[in-house]
Amino acid sequence: VELCTGLLSPDYIVDYSQAQARSCKTTFTPAEDKLFVLGFERYGLKAWNDISQHYFSPFKKPPQLQNRFKNKSSKKASISLNPIKIFLELHKRPFTPEENQKLLENVRTKGLEWELIASSFQNR
């Protein structure tokens, strides 16, 4: 049994003993979805390598996390009991005046390179 450092809640305990016997192709548990959210909060959205290394290694690889995110964050995914979708909904808020200023400055310096601009806004 592996316990995420700093978390004492039994909800965050992930039992990998059976997963080791089967293979790396295991389904995600509700506890792993919660760890996924902790990874987002710590490393930002789409930091698949960091999240995998610090929360799921060696049992979940970055492509598996990316697919899980895509499936759980889609418009078809239900928000009830879905910590990934709840996390995304909570982070949809209007820009602050400071963020608006940062956005305008980025557009002036980087043009309409939205991928570059988005990289300067963590968890957006």
Side-chain angles (χ1 to χ4, degrees):
V1 176
E2 185 175 295
L3 179 63
C4 181
T5 307
L7 298 173
L8 301 176
S9 169
D11 292 342
Y12 292 102
I13 296 174
V14 180
D15 183 1
Y16 284 117
S17 58
Q18 291 181 355
Q20 287 176 328
R22 289 186 303 222
S23 75
C24 284
K25 292 188 177 192
T26 60
T27 59
F28 280 78
T29 66
E32 287 175 320
D33 283 341
K34 290 177 183 177
L35 287 175
F36 215 143
V37 171
L38 290 175
F40 290 152
E41 290 172 346
R42 183 171 182 189
Y43 298 106
L45 294 172
K46 301 183 182 180
W48 311 122
N49 289 328
D50 291 329
I51 295 170
S52 173
Q53 179 181 358
H54 291 97
Y55 291 96
F56 295 99
S57 185
F59 302 102
K60 304 285 186 193
K61 304 296 182 203
Q64 290 173 295
L65 299 181
Q66 190 172 7
N67 287 336
R68 179 64 169 184
F69 175 78
K70 189 166 66 172
N71 292 336
K72 283 294 211 175
S73 64
S74 73
K75 291 182 178 166
K76 294 178 187 176
S78 167
I79 194 166
S80 64
L81 301 176
N82 181 345
I84 295 170
K85 189 86 170 201
I86 291 169
F87 174 83
L88 294 173
E89 291 296 319
L90 290 175
H91 285 80
K92 286 182 182 176
R93 65 189 192 306
F95 272 33
T96 64
E98 294 81 20
E99 288 174 320
N100 277 328
Q101 188 62 38
K102 186 177 179 180
L103 176 63
L104 292 172
E105 184 60 35
N106 275 315
V107 170
R108 274 186 281 242
T109 59
K110 299 174 183 169
L112 297 177
E113 297 292 329
W114 295 111
E115 194 168 315
L116 290 174
I117 293 169
S119 68
S120 65
F121 290 90
Q122 186 173 359
N123 292 333
R124 279 297 200 164

